Amino acid sequence: MTRTVFSALLSHWWRNPLQLFTLLAGLALATALWSGVQAINAEAAASYDAAAATLGEGSYDQLTRSDGQPMDQATYVALRRAGWLVSPVVEGRLDGVRIVGLDPLTAPGGLGPVEVTEGADIGQFLSGQGQVFGRADALAALPDGPAQVDSPDVAPGTVITDIGVAQRLLDRPGQIDRLIVAPVQPVTQAPLDTIAPDLTRQVAQSGSDVGRLTDSFHLNLTAFGLLSFAVGIFIVNGAIGLAFEQRRPVVRTLRALGVPLRRLMVLMAAELAVLALVAGAVGVALGYVVASLLLPDVAATLQGLYGATVSGELQLRPSWWLSGLGVALGGTAMAAAAAFWRLAHLPLLAGAAPRALTMAAGRSARVQGALAAVLLVAAGVLALTAGSLTAGFALLATLLIGAALALPLILDRVLALAERLSTGVRARWFWADTRQQLPGLSLALAALLLAMAANVGVSTMVSSFRLTFTGFLDQRLASELYVTAEDAAQADALQTWLAPRVRAVLPIQSAPAEVAGLPTEVFGARDDATYRDNWALLSSSPDAWDAVAGGTAILINEQLSRRSGLAVGDVVPLVGRDFTIVGVYGDYGNPIGQVFMTEDAFLTLYPDVTPLQFGLRLPSAGVPALQQALADDVGLPPTAVIDQAGIKQFSLDVFNRTFTVTTALNILTLTVAGFAILMSLLTLAALRVPQLAPAWAMGLTRRELGLLELIRAVLLAVLTAAVALPLGLALAWALLAIVNVAAFGWRLPMFLFPLDYLRLGGFALVAAALAALWPAWRLARTPPADLLKVFSNER
Amino acid sequence: MLLTVTDLRKTYATADGPFDVLRGVDLTLDAGETLALTGESGSGKSTLLHLIGGLDAPDGGRIVLDGTDLATLDDTGRAAVRRGTVGVVFQQFNLIPSLKIADNIAFQARLAGRYDAAWCQTLADRMGLVSQLNKYPEQLSGGQQQRVAIARTLAPRPKLVLADEPTGNLDEATAANVLALMLELVADTGAGLLMVTHSDRLAGQMQHRLHLALGQIAGPVA
């Protein structure tokens, strides 16, 4: 019996290949978008983890010099003799490749390829020319010398070698940048400050620093992936719903012929699972293509924004396939749940003719309306009260799902009004017929609504971010030129040389600290009009800048203020001294808290910190000459001198790269929504014939009917766009005012971009028109015999 | 006795309150016998047929089919009865549109595990469907589709054939032809036949005839 029923079920798809294609394509697209974005995130995370594992970042405590300078071999030897189990690391760049030198005999286990693995020869690693481990592209960039071992697990752009080899390659004999502290230490070791007082111990952190820095970017990508998946699931839900609707008579027949309901449901679930696995496999492969196309831009963005090195090449990971197929199966189960529920409650003896979708609309419309109202009210309450990331995401979910549920009801009311207002009989029929089509199209229209709202929301957020950020760059990058010295001696000489040549030299110096239990960066700035004129304060006490200049007051950034609850007037202790907060400034993009104080106050707290970087204020016209003089007279390399325009251009380039990714995802999501409309219209086309045949019989030509179908699709897209705009703006507001604040600690002002919205609306209309073109053309060419069948009892 | 129906009752909930569609129906039918059930629309004919066929459950009374009391069966048990003991011919044919005619004819026999290729071929031949076996239902006329439905019902050689206005969608000449074929084949299999019909002329071709009115047997019709 099982085989007979299964073949009967499968025969439906062979006879309705378009429906099968809709289902498979919808699911494959949903999986592709989801798994593509996830793959990018996973690749980036793997790169961060590889970097952390290679460099010991985060995993182990580390010793570094307080002034950031390298330490000598003697310090290391002294610590080892005093019982400290530490291992030296030196690193630097050679031909664009990061060289990391480790001591394999003292390094804790798990650091890079030092644990002897394939291709590693500990003897060769330690002696002679040595061995270097890295990815093929990094190895290829190195000059000839040590033997090279291809190691895909090493972080991108990095090679690992013995410390002696690294010191030779980097021309830094005897120098050590940091010491990795083994997790287990002897109890009897001498205190650090008695052996090496100039060293500071940095405590291990859970997770990678780079990973946390880039969280915001990945959060956006994940949100996009989730949204695309939701749009895809709408398509699948529509396809499954229609397939079940069309198979309702067959299901009744099968049951009437003696197939038990349970067996039938199990077989239909198995059938769907097989289809989901096929579509999932195609989806994962498609996702790989999407990710491969987007990854280079993502990698460049991450490199530019955060200095995070991510491989531009994708590796196909087994976990990918598993998660992709899991998502496809889960998505199908989600999309099919309602259809299965209806199937389980399908009365065996109800009329066997296909139930018109509109007939079912009455009761379910009331339930849907009530659910939409509840969700939108919940969204309203959350908008007023949400303060956490979870509440922010709950707001997004209730808002989007509530709006998607409300859309068919809103459209129905609008169409009913149009029907009442219309005068001609043809117009009345058009509006009534459009209303009748709504239940069948509502899922596709909901998908379009979500896609458009997401586009409006995300593009508003990104563009607002861009406007704010460019303004912020103008404030922060007020100096005309930035120079970096190699060491403290050169920094001193440079300041002396620069003093008569520029209007002001502004040292850029900072030190790590903890304020209200949060990791914070203390920034010491020279009192200068540059800051007063350019830094915008979000809140401040009167004469804030004068108070800061007095040395007893500080400014803090917005994220520190929000996270710690500190505000203007509060007092903060720093290295044993109390400072009063007199202002809060916007500090977009910075993941951690920051304290701004005058240079004098900073130096009393951190006397060992020597600034190596300086901002220079001078008339713009004098910049080229000064650049030339810095190279000729001081001998600074071009990489140590950066002009303001260069930095700004670089930052904007980074942003534009980010836009490339979001724009690509925007277009993909809209394309998926367009596809949903196309598939719904094509699937509905067969059901439409009995509705259109009477109109044809009464004098409308097939051409007119086709044209009306086209107009109908565009009209519905216009109405959907009208709902999507306010929804998208609400989404943008929620992202900027709640999610961003909860996630990153700063709030961006929201700007509106009417031209962008107009362009998006136009794109959606074109997508809807293109999607409707083929079904309309097919309708216009429907043979009269097919239309006549409606009136015979043989149909 | 193949079928014994005793004091059968069924009530539907309607907007105007409960409606007793069957109010104590009694009837019997033996193997090889044919019985026509006539009555006005709404008299309960189809409901009675559905209850006997295990498509629905009664609210009172007993149906004993081939020695089994249907009231003792759950949904799965009733499905087994539909699969193996009875065959139902519907007014709307209820063919599976995605299967070819040959597969439609063999379908119920395969479900019942009693597929006999030679018998299916005989049925197709007797029904005049041999040239249509590779077509799909939508390519056949109404009369042809009903012949396929009858062949499908008879393919597993059920003990009882139930027919719910099987010619209701057909013109008079086609209806007479289809019914003649059905009676002939039912007689060949030795099954009992219970047919619901509006047509006095068709009912007259059956061995027995009962009239149903207001949910009760009004009496045998001469």
Side-chain angles (χ1 to χ4, degrees):
Chain A
M1 177 166 64
T2 298
R3 201 175 143 198
T4 306
V5 177
F6 207 53
S7 64
L9 290 173
L10 288 182
S11 67
H12 173 84
W13 301 114
W14 293 124
R15 290 286 288 163
N16 298 278
L18 188 64
Q19 217 172 68
L20 178 66
F21 175 72
T22 310
L23 184 65
L24 291 176
L27 199 50
L29 278 176
T31 312
L33 286 172
W34 167 261
S35 61
V37 170
Q38 288 306 101
I40 291 172
N41 282 348
E43 190 63 40
S47 292
Y48 307 149
D49 288 347
T54 307
L55 311 176
E57 283 169 3
S59 311
Y60 301 99
D61 286 6
Q62 299 190 36
L63 303 178
T64 52
R65 270 183 57 155
S66 311
D67 58 6
Q69 300 301 312
M71 64 188 86
D72 56 22
Q73 204 89 11
T75 311
Y76 166 57
V77 173
L79 277 166
R80 291 291 297 194
R81 282 184 179 155
W84 281 78
L85 298 180
V86 290
S87 182
V89 177
V90 68
E91 62 180 273
R93 288 196 166 270
L94 180 66
D95 294 336
V97 179
R98 193 177 193 184
I99 311 273
V100 179
L102 302 165
D103 175 16
L105 300 177
T106 56
L111 286 188
V114 182
E115 283 185 308
V116 179
T117 53
E118 271 179 68
D121 175 343
I122 197 76
Q124 196 182 352
F125 190 82
L126 290 169
S127 60
Q129 286 290 303
Q131 275 184 320
V132 289
F133 293 80
R135 298 185 185 206
D137 53 345
L139 293 173
L142 285 180
D144 289 340
Q148 299 185 341
V149 181
D150 186 7
S151 309
D153 289 338
V154 175
T158 304
V159 297
I160 312 287
T161 186
D162 174 65
I163 187 164
V165 178
Q167 286 168 337
R168 197 171 60 242
L169 285 172
L170 296 168
D171 194 20
R172 293 175 56 192
Q175 288 189 358
I176 295 168
D177 288 318
R178 53 198 163 94
L179 296 169
I180 296 170
V181 183
V184 180
Q185 295 285 328
V187 187
T188 53
Q189 66 183 191
L192 180 65
D193 52 6
T194 60
I195 310 160
D198 56 340
L199 295 192
T200 316
R201 182 169 184 158
Q202 291 175 353
V203 181
Q205 293 160 349
S206 57
S208 152
D209 280 353
V210 184
R212 275 201 300 279
L213 278 172
T214 52
D215 273 354
S216 65
F217 188 79
H218 292 302
L219 186 73
N220 282 335
L221 280 183
T222 304
F224 240 123
L226 204 61
L227 207 67
S228 305
F229 183 69
V231 170
I233 287 302
F234 268 88
I235 305 177
V236 178
N237 187 293
I240 291 176
L242 282 167
F244 273 49
E245 191 67 37
Q246 288 194 343
R247 291 208 290 186
R248 186 184 288 262
V250 173
V251 166
R252 283 212 174 95
T253 301
L254 288 173
R255 289 197 59 203
L257 295 181
V259 180
L261 176 64
R262 192 178 300 171
R263 176 88 62 105
L264 192 58
M265 289 187 67
V266 167
L267 288 176
M268 290 179 86
E271 173 198 49
L272 268 185
V274 170
L275 294 176
L277 285 175
V278 171
V282 175
V284 173
L286 274 176
Y288 181 81
V289 174
V290 170
S292 305
L293 293 175
L294 293 181
L295 193 61
D297 280 329
V298 172
T301 302
L302 292 168
Q303 172 74 50
L305 270 179
Y306 309 105
T309 307
V310 171
S311 168
E313 284 177 22
L314 207 58
Q315 291 179 38
L316 201 52
R317 297 167 197 277
S319 57
W320 244 52
W321 285 101
L322 286 178
S323 67
L325 293 178
V327 158
L329 277 175
T332 307
M334 213 157 49
F340 270 101
W341 191 87
R342 283 198 299 271
L343 179 69
H345 293 84
L346 179 72
L348 185 54
L349 288 171
R355 184 192 62 158
L357 288 166
T358 41
M359 297 297 283
R363 191 173 150 273
S364 65
R366 281 194 294 278
V367 174
Q368 191 175 326
L371 197 58
V374 168
L375 287 171
L376 291 175
V377 168
V381 172
L382 283 169
L384 295 174
T385 59
S388 69
L389 200 56
T390 314
F393 279 121
L395 166 59
L396 294 183
T398 49
L399 185 67
L400 289 175
I401 298 172
L405 288 175
L407 179 72
L409 309 177
I410 295 170
L411 293 181
D412 185 69
R413 291 296 86 207
V414 172
L415 293 173
L417 181 69
E419 187 184 343
R420 249 200 326 274
L421 295 177
S422 58
T423 48
V425 65
R426 189 176 292 200
R428 284 183 75 88
W429 171 78
F430 173 78
W431 293 115
D433 192 53
T434 305
R435 272 183 82 190
Q436 197 184 25
Q437 272 219 73
L438 265 186
L441 278 173
S442 61
L443 281 168
L445 292 173
L448 181 66
L449 175 79
L450 289 187
M452 289 185 70
N455 273 267
V456 169
V458 174
S459 67
T460 301
M461 182 187 78
V462 173
S463 300
S464 294
F465 192 14
R466 189 178 202 264
L467 265 188
T468 309
F469 194 74
T470 46
F472 174 69
L473 283 181
D474 288 340
Q475 291 174 24
R476 286 299 178 91
L477 300 177
S479 297
E480 283 72 19
L481 211 55
Y482 292 85
V483 294
T484 306
E486 280 179 9
D487 50 37
Q490 191 183 44
D492 279 346
L494 196 58
Q495 286 200 72
T496 312
W497 185 87
L498 283 167
R501 292 176 170 84
V502 297
R503 186 185 68 70
V505 177
L506 305 175
I508 297 168
Q509 52 198 340
S510 64
E514 199 175 273
V515 174
L518 299 169
T520 305
E521 176 187 37
V522 178
F523 182 63
R526 190 163 290 172
D527 185 24
D528 188 85
T530 300
Y531 300 107
R532 295 167 184 254
D533 295 346
N534 292 296
W535 284 39
L537 298 180
L538 302 175
S539 62
S540 62
S541 59
D543 304 322
W545 288 105
D546 288 341
V548 172
T552 57
I554 55 170
L555 306 172
I556 61 172
N557 67 358
E558 185 188 3
Q559 36 275 63
L560 180 59
S561 169
R562 285 186 187 274
R563 285 175 190 153
S564 64
L566 291 170
V568 172
D570 290 341
V571 175
V572 175
L574 272 169
V575 199
R577 277 186 60 189
D578 284 345
F579 292 89
T580 306
I581 298 171
V582 291
V584 177
Y585 55 91
D587 191 13
Y588 308 109
N590 187 354
I592 63 168
Q594 194 180 68
V595 168
F596 180 101
M597 62 174 58
T598 181
E599 183 184 21
D600 297 337
F602 180 85
L603 289 175
T604 59
L605 298 185
Y606 306 100
D608 295 336
V609 175
T610 309
L612 295 178
Q613 209 181 4
F614 304 92
L616 309 180
R617 300 307 313 266
L618 68 159
S620 302
V623 170
L626 186 67
Q627 270 180 301
Q628 194 59 48
L630 280 165
D632 297 343
D633 302 349
V634 186
L636 283 184
T639 50
V641 183
I642 304 169
D643 65 20
Q644 177 204 66
I647 296 182
K648 281 185 184 168
Q649 190 52 50
F650 171 76
S651 302
L652 286 177
D653 285 349
V654 168
F655 256 91
N656 291 333
R657 283 236 182 216
T658 314
F659 291 149
T660 311
V661 179
T662 47
T663 306
L665 286 171
N666 269 336
I667 291 171
L668 277 176
T669 315
L670 265 181
T671 308
V672 170
F675 180 78
I677 295 178
L678 169 68
M679 289 301 129
S680 297
L681 289 175
L682 283 177
T683 318
L684 278 178
L687 301 175
R688 292 277 293 147
V689 174
Q691 295 162 14
L692 295 175
W696 168 74
M698 284 183 266
L700 279 175
T701 66
R702 289 175 295 156
R703 192 185 157 82
E704 282 173 320
L705 287 173
L707 189 64
L708 285 175
E709 290 292 289
L710 193 62
I711 293 171
R712 193 190 323 274
V714 173
L715 181 87
L716 288 172
V718 169
L719 292 175
T720 304
V723 180
L725 182 60
L727 178 65
L729 294 178
L731 183 68
W733 177 85
L735 284 169
L736 291 170
I738 294 175
V739 174
N740 236 20
V741 173
F744 313 121
W746 28 267
R747 178 171 179 168
L748 292 166
M750 182 167 153
F751 298 97
L752 298 181
F753 306 88
L755 273 180
D756 285 358
Y757 308 145
L758 213 57
R759 200 164 39 234
L760 174 69
F763 185 81
L765 295 193
V766 170
L770 283 176
L773 209 55
W774 186 23
W777 181 80
R778 276 181 19 146
L779 177 66
R781 294 177 60 87
T782 304
D786 284 358
L787 293 166
L788 281 171
K789 271 188 187 171
V790 172
F791 305 109
S792 75
N793 62 1
E794 294 180 5
R795 188 183 163 78
Chain B
M1 191 60 63
L2 175 64
L3 171 70
T4 307
V5 174
T6 313
D7 193 24
L8 197 65
R9 295 172 183 280
K10 180 72 180 175
T11 303
Y12 287 128
T14 69
D16 299 326
F19 173 64
D20 297 324
V21 65
L22 293 179
R23 306 171 185 212
V25 172
D26 299 283
L27 67 84
T28 59
L29 187 72
D30 215 342
E33 286 186 333
T34 59
L35 169 66
L37 200 58
T38 58
E40 302 296 321
S41 294
S43 61
K45 306 183 300 292
S46 291
T47 301
L48 178 58
L49 201 78
H50 293 153
L51 294 176
I52 293 171
L55 293 162
D56 201 358
D59 295 321
R62 291 180 74 203
I63 301 167
V64 179
L65 178 60
D66 197 26
T68 304
D69 184 351
L70 296 191
T72 63
L73 303 176
D74 59 6
D75 183 65
T76 309
R78 285 203 299 274
V81 167
R82 291 200 298 272
R83 215 162 47 236
T85 310
V86 300
V88 186
V89 182
F90 297 94
Q91 184 179 357
Q92 298 287 348
F93 323 139
N94 287 5
L95 300 179
I96 296 175
S98 53
L99 292 182
K100 290 182 177 173
I101 299 306
D103 292 324
N104 262 294
I105 291 174
F107 194 78
Q108 193 161 7
R110 285 190 170 126
L111 279 185
R114 292 204 290 266
Y115 174 62
D116 178 345
W119 174 235
C120 286
Q121 185 61 40
T122 303
L123 287 171
D125 190 25
R126 297 275 292 276
M127 287 288 181
L129 294 167
V130 172
S131 60
Q132 317 292 334
L133 292 177
N134 271 323
K135 291 183 179 171
Y136 286 95
E138 66 180 24
Q139 295 169 296
L140 268 56
S141 70
Q144 287 172 320
Q145 288 194 47
Q146 192 58 300
R147 278 185 273 157
V148 175
I150 293 169
R152 178 182 69 184
T153 303
L154 295 174
R157 298 179 193 270
K159 291 183 175 169
L160 175 64
V161 174
L162 303 171
D164 189 0
E165 302 200 34
T167 56
N169 273 339
L170 308 178
D171 63 74
E172 204 164 326
T174 309
N177 178 263
V178 166
L179 183 68
L181 274 170
M182 185 165 74
L183 285 173
E184 205 178 304
L185 285 164
V186 166
D188 284 356
T189 60
L193 170 65
L194 196 162
M195 181 177 77
V196 165
T197 182
H198 274 299
S199 163
D200 281 343
R201 198 177 57 75
L202 296 180
Q205 297 181 44
M206 311 291 275
Q207 291 167 350
H208 308 286
R209 190 170 168 185
L210 286 175
H211 188 74
L212 204 60
L214 298 172
Q216 290 178 311
I217 301 290
V221 180

